[in-house]
Amino acid sequence: MRRLFLLPLLALLLPAPAPAAHLGAAVPDTTSVAPAAATTDEPATPLGLIAQPWYRPHHVLVQAAGGQGMVAAGVGYTTLRGKLDVDLLGGYVPKKYSITPMGVFTGKATYSPFTLDLGATKWQVRPLSVGMFVSYTASKGINSSRDEKYYKGYYWWSSHTRIGGFVGGRVARVIGTNRLGQPRTVAAYYELGTNDLYLTSAMTNLGGLPLHDILTLGFGVKLDL
Amino acid sequence: MKQLFSFFHTISLFHRSLMAGAVVCLLASCDLIEFSPNETRTPEAYRNLTQKNLERLQAQPNPTGGDTVRFVFTGDSQRFYSEAEDFVKSVNQQRNIAFVVLAGDVSDFGLVRELRWVHDKLQQLRMPYLTVIGNHDLVANGRKAYQEVYGPLNYTFTYAGTKFVMVDTNGREYGFNGRIPDVGWVQRELREPAPEVKRQVVMSHVAPMSEDFDPKVVGPYVQTLGDAPRLAFELNGHNHDFSIGKPYDNEVTFINSYSFEKRQYVVLTVWGEKEFKLETVQF
């Protein structure tokens, strides 16, 4: 029941497999033996959602901080010609920094519309990403803001579920090809974000709370499968 | 094409400035790295503030001198950061204030960052400030966050012949378990005052008249206050508005604080056995 918020993310994953014609759309890349005859302005991107079951993840990722756990790991999907990543993460915060250890379960979507034109190189830079996440924190010690202690509406927010947004960027390097012959990348990314409660605090105190006070930073690595 | 380039250039500049900002912040340790908003990790500068403030208070001579103690009484700073700035400016202009007491709900969501934001404002006060825990400070991991940033949930201090008993009375947050407030502890702290204690003040967030006070404990708690030999009054927050009255037969005076949002606070001057003067100040 409490994980229902993940459903919209599943819906995002469902867009039907891309037309097979896209198979050859990758830039000819030096390490690849792929039959990539077609050329395009788009630099090498993992195409995603091609000739494989929708549920098979396209990449794995590990992340630190960003409000999603001291460390977090998960799987993700890429669509819209490499521009949209949808990731699911499980994060961990030890007891030392909490009352009891916290499990942080996050679903997020990251949209990176631009790729810098670096010419013929294995490097790929997406300078700007924008994204949103929803997270649920499970921890026995957390004093829930919505349980039998209170009448309905006593507190307006949930102490477990956070919604947040971020901007970021990523640098990737092609490290070979996947079993479909598409370029396979390893990417490092960062996210500078905030969450609903911090944003509420800032918005209700314009000028009273400096912007940098509400920012959080996270960074991670994604590896194409 | 040129426009497109300039667009990319702008984004790249924006991106670079973000990165530069992030690096500067990292170097200045402005706490961007956050594992969870519910984490309780606290940098040293924000730790044990109750103890640090008490040490500062004990080292400071009483500004009014003699038997009289004069202090500012407020509460519920929760998410009123703009007001907090003006509050500090106003209090810093008052004369002979020994310290400020804040009657709980320091934070709104029980997050450690909120406690730090409030301290960023209140540390500009010329005098020490002391807090008691409120119900909002107990949400999520707030209990531990409060313990890390401020310290114990129940504590006492004596200054200028006045003993302050600061007690957690947020019964609802513990599911009305019959143990909050810890009446036994309050009793022990009030029962036999040391010779230098000329008067006693109890401060907590939720008053026993409130529906958020554990109904099982109201009777014994109110009786404990009534039995206290030198109790001047009890101070509370939670209602976000000022009030003063004697709601029980035992004639104990209860004073409730304004919240920060009301842009008013109370200055209390206490002397003699139970004599006090009360002024309200707008800011």
Side-chain angles (χ1 to χ4, degrees):
Chain A
M1 185 61 196
R2 281 167 166 177
R3 306 287 145 75
L4 270 183
F5 64 84
L6 291 176
L7 281 180
L9 293 168
L10 287 179
L12 273 177
L13 305 178
L14 285 177
H22 282 178
L23 252 180
V27 161
D29 98 65
T30 47
T31 59
S32 163
V33 289
T39 54
T40 142
D41 290 331
E42 285 277 320
T45 54
L47 293 174
L49 294 181
I50 293 167
Q52 57 176 327
W54 66 267
Y55 51 82
R56 189 198 293 271
H58 302 161
H59 53 257
V60 291
L61 65 161
V62 291
Q63 180 175 323
Q68 294 155 41
M70 187 166 92
V71 285
V75 297
Y77 303 83
T78 303
T79 185
L80 299 183
R81 298 167 72 82
K83 288 178 181 158
L84 181 68
D85 276 12
V86 176
D87 303 317
L88 303 171
L89 292 116
Y92 175 74
V93 179
K95 183 173 186 293
K96 192 178 170 194
Y97 306 129
S98 179
I99 291 175
T100 56
M102 290 190 276
V104 186
F105 302 94
T106 305
K108 68 176 161 188
T110 309
Y111 182 60
S112 316
F114 315 110
T115 305
L116 290 189
D117 188 356
L118 300 178
T121 167
K122 290 180 179 177
W123 294 93
Q124 180 206 75
V125 177
R126 290 185 182 272
L128 176 72
S129 304
V130 292
M132 283 198 61
F133 68 86
V134 183
S135 74
Y136 181 86
T137 302
S139 179
K140 232 171 86 183
I142 283 191
N143 198 355
S144 178
S145 60
R146 289 175 177 167
D147 63 10
E148 65 286 349
K149 300 194 295 292
Y150 309 106
Y151 50 82
K152 202 168 183 294
Y154 190 91
Y155 293 127
W156 62 262
W157 71 97
S158 158
S159 50
H160 294 280
T161 306
R162 290 279 65 75
I163 300 171
F166 55 86
V167 294
R170 60 181 268 176
V171 176
R173 190 177 196 278
V174 177
I175 52 161
T177 55
N178 65 14
R179 73 206 137 71
L180 300 173
Q182 300 152 357
R184 191 166 162 250
T185 64
V186 58
Y189 66 92
Y190 79 93
E191 297 172 359
L192 198 59
T194 191
N195 64 52
D196 51 345
L197 299 186
Y198 292 171
L199 200 62
T200 303
S201 302
M203 296 303 281
T204 51
N205 288 278
L206 294 176
L209 198 60
L211 178 69
H212 66 77
D213 268 4
I214 67 160
L215 291 179
T216 66
L217 180 66
F219 38 86
V221 174
K222 282 182 188 182
L223 177 67
D224 285 342
L225 290 175
Chain B
M1 196 59 204
K2 206 173 164 188
Q3 277 167 336
L4 196 67
F5 175 76
S6 108
F7 180 59
F8 276 127
H9 187 67
T10 310
I11 283 179
S12 158
L13 277 182
F14 173 66
H15 182 246
R16 248 180 263 166
S17 63
L18 269 184
M19 281 299 270
V23 169
V24 168
C25 269
L26 274 179
L27 292 175
S29 79
C30 79
D31 309 315
L32 277 175
I33 303 283
E34 180 173 274
F35 302 158
S36 158
N38 291 318
E39 73 180 25
T40 56
R41 231 164 19 118
T42 306
E44 175 48 37
Y46 294 92
R47 270 172 175 278
N48 289 324
L49 296 182
T50 299
Q51 195 195 325
K52 287 174 186 168
N53 274 308
L54 284 178
E55 280 164 10
R56 214 178 124 196
L57 180 65
Q58 299 302 350
Q60 148 195 308
N62 184 4
T64 49
D67 180 48
T68 305
V69 60
R70 191 169 146 85
F71 61 95
V72 165
F73 169 46
T74 184
D76 302 83
S77 53
Q78 53 188 109
R79 199 151 54 77
F80 304 125
Y81 302 102
S82 304
E83 290 85 346
E85 276 178 16
D86 299 338
F87 169 77
V88 168
K89 276 183 209 148
S90 172
V91 172
N92 280 346
Q93 286 165 9
Q94 296 287 338
R95 291 173 57 191
N96 295 340
I97 303 291
F99 55 89
V100 173
V101 284
L102 173 58
D105 279 1
V106 183
S107 70
D108 199 17
F109 310 117
L111 304 177
V112 74
R113 255 200 210 208
E114 295 182 278
L115 298 180
R116 296 212 296 264
W117 295 338
V118 170
H119 181 62
D120 285 342
K121 306 293 184 199
L122 298 189
Q123 69 175 340
Q124 311 291 333
L125 285 166
R126 284 194 290 115
M127 62 295 285
Y129 76 99
L130 293 151
T131 62
V132 72
I133 194 162
N135 58 304
H136 282 254
D137 303 317
L138 284 161
V139 175
N141 275 339
R143 176 167 53 86
K144 189 168 175 192
Y146 183 91
Q147 286 167 330
E148 295 274 334
V149 175
Y150 287 103
L153 310 191
N154 295 338
Y155 67 100
T156 68
F157 65 95
T158 303
Y159 186 75
T162 314
K163 177 165 180 171
F164 284 78
V165 177
M166 316 289 269
V167 57
D168 176 5
T169 55
N170 307 290
R172 186 182 291 279
E173 312 308 308
Y174 299 85
F176 291 144
N177 64 6
R179 297 197 297 272
I180 303 294
D182 183 345
V183 177
W185 178 83
V186 177
Q187 243 165 24
R188 285 193 297 280
E189 292 299 333
L190 291 177
R191 202 162 37 198
E192 287 162 7
E196 74 270 19
V197 174
K198 300 196 181 77
R199 59 215 151 239
Q200 302 161 314
V201 172
V202 174
M203 178 157 133
S204 76
H205 181 62
V206 174
M209 299 81 85
S210 166
E211 58 168 8
D212 296 318
F213 196 102
D214 190 340
K216 295 193 279 289
V217 196
V218 170
Y221 181 75
V222 171
Q223 185 170 354
T224 299
L225 298 184
D227 293 346
R230 291 170 206 167
L231 185 70
F233 41 70
E234 157 146 333
L235 302 175
N236 299 112
H238 198 50
N239 295 344
H240 288 220
D241 214 347
F242 173 76
S243 66
I244 180 165
K246 297 179 178 178
Y248 298 103
D249 292 342
N250 62 9
E251 297 288 299
V252 171
T253 303
F254 288 81
I255 311 175
N256 205 95
S257 69
Y258 294 107
S259 64
F260 275 42
E261 124 204 71
K262 293 291 191 318
R263 290 187 168 275
Q264 287 183 78
Y265 59 86
V266 171
V267 179
L268 280 165
T269 312
V270 190
W271 70 93
E273 200 174 318
K274 290 181 185 182
E275 308 299 315
F276 66 90
K277 190 176 107 186
L278 187 153
E279 304 155 78
T280 64
V281 180
Q282 290 198 340
F283 64 90

